[in-house]
Amino acid sequence: MAKRTRRPRDQLPNCYYEGYMEKRSFNDETSRKLWTALCGNTLFFFNDKKDCDYIEKLDLSGFISVTDETRQDRNLDAARFNLRLKGGNIKFTVPNAEVREFWKGYIQAVAELAVPTSLNLLPGQIRMLIEAVQKEKERKQNSPPSTETSSPSYVTLQADMPACYHNVSRLEAELLLEREVKRGNLLLRPGSDGSSFAVSTRQDLDSPLVKHYRVIRKHDGGFIIDVEPKVTCDTLHDVISYLVTSTDGVLIPLIIEEPYEKKLSYISSDNENGEKSVQQPSQKGPPPSLPPKPGNEEAEETEDSSVNPLPQPEGKTQKIPLMPPTPAPRKLLPSSASSTKQDVKVKAITDPNNQIARATISELKLRLEKNKGKCQ
């Protein structure tokens, strides 16, 4: 099973048959109900019928066989079949046995390029398989063997396309050329087979004359304008350039590109009468400057002294930024006792021989002896 970057459905090859199927491969724990489309020799799986981008694809180039599965489903009307490829086996469940025969017939016919004879199909269904085989043979003749993005001739991005490329069908191209006749009369679009491109032109004679030209991708790179004689071009840009120059500029590429607005505008409502009108924003002066950071007043003053200040508008005063309050200095207690004790401590620390401490102790001893004498 191959997974790849999603590709729009309208860029896929011819779709031969499609419908809901429950798919389960050897890697899946449970089956999933997916919208399945057989486009070219590949099965493309979508989450829903209306989705434009597929989520998985299954290449039938490694086809071995497709057989019925006899195990009965819980839904008595449902039918099962096994698709055997070189990369493994895939089991499918379809609504009924008739749909199963149709799926088996298309898968085998496209993979082997031959209508199977062992299936129980009606004459009309066999005719449809014959047409599918013929279309698939033509598609393989006109497309490279590999359409992966690694091929240099594979065009995937809108940026690789000419400006006149429009992702429309044949009918939509005719309507677009009619509606935008003043812009151009030539456009490039995807081909009906999904592997080629087409050029649609519109000119006025007695009545509008619309023509479509096929552009085929070459196997070794480049493109061919399928006219007589055939014209070979390296790129799609060269295809458009050739058509314009060979017709002396009569064919003009249809480029739809609206100009961008140069001025900003908005719809405003009048408060008095409620009328709405288109307004443009008023022109204002330069944005206000940021206030200086705290602590950088001195540096900013020295820098601003050499630079002329910006003129302030009349009638307005410059706002002074608010600064946080500075804390008051702490006050020392005017206590004599505390100061004396602190002086003694300081002196004791600064006196290496403790002379002050010894003198103080001896003085205290003398006072104690005098007090004892008085008491006796």
Side-chain angles (χ1 to χ4, degrees), residues 224-232 242:
I224 298 176
I225 305 177
D226 193 13
V227 293
E228 294 297 337
K230 297 184 183 299
V231 180
T232 303
Y242 172 80

Side-chain angles (χ1 to χ4, degrees), residues 262-277:
K262 297 298 183 181
K263 293 184 178 180
L264 181 64
S265 62
Y266 62 96
I267 298 176
S268 177
S269 178
D270 195 336
N271 296 330
E272 296 181 358
N273 53 21
E275 294 182 356
K276 295 182 178 181
S277 59

Side-chain angles (χ1 to χ4, degrees), residues 154-170:
Y154 184 69
V155 182
T156 56
L157 301 177
Q158 182 72 21
D160 297 334
M161 297 291 185
C164 61
Y165 174 80
H166 300 275
N167 192 5
V168 295
S169 63
R170 175 187 285 250

Side-chain angles (χ1 to χ4, degrees), residues 93-106:
T93 303
V94 294
N96 51 60
E98 183 180 358
V99 176
R100 178 178 62 183
E101 291 297 300
F102 219 19
W103 270 114
K104 289 166 53 183
Y106 268 113

Side-chain angles (χ1 to χ4, degrees), residues 25-237:
S25 64
F26 56 90
N27 293 326
D28 298 330
E29 296 181 358
T30 58
S31 60
R32 293 179 297 165
K33 188 177 182 180
L34 301 172
W35 182 262
T36 309
L38 178 59
C39 302
N41 63 336
T42 305
L43 289 171
F44 294 91
F45 301 97
F46 303 83
N47 284 322
D48 189 76
K49 178 181 179 180
K50 298 180 180 179
D51 290 352
C52 295
D53 297 331
Y54 69 86
I55 58 173
E56 295 178 5
K57 75 172 185 177
L58 186 63
D59 192 356
L60 300 178
S61 57
F63 175 81
I64 297 177
S65 64
V66 55
T67 56
D68 295 342
E69 184 176 348
T70 56
R71 184 169 63 91
Q72 193 172 14
D73 193 86
R74 288 178 297 177
N75 182 5
L76 299 179
D77 295 332
R80 297 172 177 264
F81 68 93
N82 297 331
L83 176 60
R84 186 182 178 189
L85 302 173
K86 292 181 180 179
N89 298 337
I90 298 93
K91 300 180 182 296
F92 293 99
T93 303
V94 294
N96 51 60
E98 183 180 358
V99 176
R100 178 178 62 183
E101 291 297 300
F102 219 19
W103 270 114
K104 289 166 53 183
Y106 268 113
I107 291 174
Q108 187 172 352
V110 170
E112 297 180 345
L113 295 180
V115 178
T117 58
S118 60
L119 299 178
N120 186 16
L121 297 174
L122 298 175
Q125 295 173 336
I126 295 176
R127 191 179 304 111
M128 296 171 66
L129 294 182
I130 294 174
E131 294 178 358
V133 170
Q134 293 176 351
K135 290 182 179 180
E136 182 63 14
K137 289 181 178 179
E138 294 177 358
R139 187 189 71 84
K140 288 190 173 182
Q141 290 177 356
N142 298 325
S143 63
S146 175
T147 58
E148 296 298 323
T149 56
S150 59
S151 173
S153 62
Y154 184 69
V155 182
T156 56
L157 301 177
Q158 182 72 21
D160 297 334
M161 297 291 185
C164 61
Y165 174 80
H166 300 275
N167 192 5
V168 295
S169 63
R170 175 187 285 250
L171 179 59
E172 292 171 339
E174 295 177 0
L175 296 175
L176 183 61
L177 289 171
E178 181 181 0
R179 186 175 69 248
E180 304 292 343
V181 63
K182 294 183 179 180
R183 295 176 181 263
N185 55 9
L186 176 149
L187 63 83
L188 179 69
R189 60 177 178 84
S192 57
D193 59 357
S195 61
S196 62
F197 296 91
V199 173
S200 300
T201 64
R202 184 182 188 274
Q203 300 181 73
D204 292 328
L205 192 57
D206 297 333
S207 60
L209 182 61
V210 179
K211 292 186 177 181
H212 305 276
Y213 304 94
R214 188 180 184 186
V215 180
I216 304 172
R217 185 186 293 113
K218 295 175 60 179
H219 292 265
D220 55 350
F223 300 88
I224 298 176
I225 305 177
D226 193 13
V227 293
E228 294 297 337
K230 297 184 183 299
V231 180
T232 303
C233 301
D234 293 334
T235 64
L236 291 174
H237 293 273

